Amino acid sequence: MIAISVNGERREFDAPLNCADLIARLALAGKRVAIERNGEIVPRSRFADEALLDGEHVLVTSGPTREPIDPVRYVSNRSSGKMGHAVAIAALRRGARVTLVAGPTVLPPPPGAVYVPVQTAEEMREAVLQHLDAATIVIKAAAVADYRVKRPSATKIKSNKDEELTLTFTPNPDILKEVAARKGTRFVVGFAAETDEVRTRAAAKLRAKGVDLLVLNDVSQRGIGFDADDNQVVLLDRWGGSIDLPTMKKIDVAGAILDRVLELRAASRPSSRDRASR
Ligand code: CTP
C-alpha cells in the first residue's frame, strides 16, 4: 500500500502505482509531498531538488533511423531509444514542454510529450526543422544512419543465390550540424557514439558539429550505451569543460545533462547587470 500526503492531506492507494510523475509535478509546484510505502516514510522526493525547466521547450530526438532497401528490408543500427526517451521524461518531470522526434522503437511515447514518430533520417530532419522554431533547447540523442540506400527498390528484391548483391549508399543529411548552424539563442546538445580514441574523436565532433554540449558515449563497453539501461558518459562543452559522470541509470544521466545545460547557459549569458552597464 502506498500513501501520498500533499500539504498534510493524506490519500491511500491499494495498488502499487507508478507515481513518479505525479510526485514530481506536485514537488515542482512547491507542495509539501510525503510518501509512505507499507507504512514507511519514503525519503523526500529528490525531484524537489532538481533544476526547473518551466517555460522551456525541449526538442529531443531518440532511437535509430531505418533506411529502406526495399518494401520489406532496411538498414538500421542498435539504438533502442532508451537514452533519448529518458531525456524527454526527465525534461517533462522538470516542467518543460517536450517534443520528441523518435525513430522506430518499442518504447511507449512519454505521456505529456508531443510525439513525432519517424522512420528515416530525411523524415527526422524534416520533423526536427518543423519543430525547431518553438524549441529553446535541442537534444539530439538519436542514432541517425549516416547513409541511406541510393535507390531503394519499389518491389521486394528477389534472391538469386548465383549472384552477389551490391547496394549503393548515399550520405544522409547531418541534422545536428544543420540545427547547430541555425541555432540562434537555442542551446544545442549532441551525442557522440564512439568505439575508439573516444575523447579525441568526441572533441573533434564537438567542434565540427558546432554544438554547445556533447555527450560522449563509449559504445564499445558492455552494459552501457546501446540498448542498456545504464550509461556512462562524459559531458564536453564548447567552453572547454569536461565532466566524467559515473555509470548511472539513463534517467539520471538525462537529469545530469539537463542540469549541465542550465548551468552552462546561465554562465554563458551576460548577466542582467552586465547588460544594464553597456
Ligand atoms: N547526427 C545527426 N545526423 C546525422 C548523423 C548524426 O543529427 N546524419 C547527430 C546524432 O544525433 C548525434 C551526433 O550527430 O547527436 C553524433 O552522431 P554520431 O553517430 O556519434 O556521429 P556521426 O556524425 O554519425 O559521425 P561518425 O559516424 O563518423 O562518428
Side-chain angles (χ1 to χ4, degrees), residues 81-256:
K82 285 179 182 170
M83 191 63 243
H85 276 54
V87 170
I89 292 166
L92 284 163
R93 284 183 180 170
R94 290 157 182 245
R97 282 191 293 147
V98 173
T99 300
L100 178 58
V101 177
T105 166
V106 294
L107 301 175
V114 172
Y115 192 72
V116 188
V118 297
Q119 294 280 321
T120 64
E122 287 177 303
E123 285 173 20
M124 184 170 277
R125 173 181 176 271
E126 206 169 300
V128 165
L129 296 182
Q130 198 183 332
H131 290 89
L132 187 61
D133 275 356
T136 56
I137 298 169
V138 183
I139 304 185
K140 287 218 73 256
V144 183
D146 291 321
Y147 297 91
R148 66 180 181 277
V149 176
K150 195 166 182 181
R151 270 184 277 284
S153 172
T155 53
K156 188 180 169 202
I157 299 171
K158 293 292 166 200
S159 62
N160 178 350
K161 301 287 186 285
D162 300 328
E163 275 182 25
E164 289 183 341
L165 174 68
T166 305
L167 295 170
T168 305
F169 289 88
T170 191
N172 267 327
D174 190 323
I175 311 167
L176 181 59
K177 207 167 172 180
E178 199 170 339
V179 165
R182 55 165 91 172
K183 76 189 191 74
T185 57
R186 290 171 200 87
F187 196 98
V188 178
V189 182
F191 276 65
E194 306 294 348
T195 56
D196 56 306
E197 295 179 54
V198 296
R199 276 181 192 261
T200 317
R201 288 186 193 279
K205 210 170 263 183
L206 172 78
R207 286 191 299 276
K209 303 252 181 186
V211 295
D212 298 306
L213 179 65
L214 193 79
V215 181
L216 163 60
N217 218 178
D218 183 347
V219 289
S220 68
Q221 294 187 47
R222 282 170 154 262
I224 58 167
F226 276 143
D227 203 20
D229 291 324
D230 293 347
N231 209 354
Q232 199 219 321
V233 302
V234 183
L235 304 181
L236 303 169
D237 64 72
R238 74 180 170 95
W239 296 273
S242 162
I243 297 179
D244 284 68
L245 293 174
T247 302
M248 302 195 276
K249 295 278 159 234
K250 282 186 172 169
I251 190 69
D252 296 323
V253 173

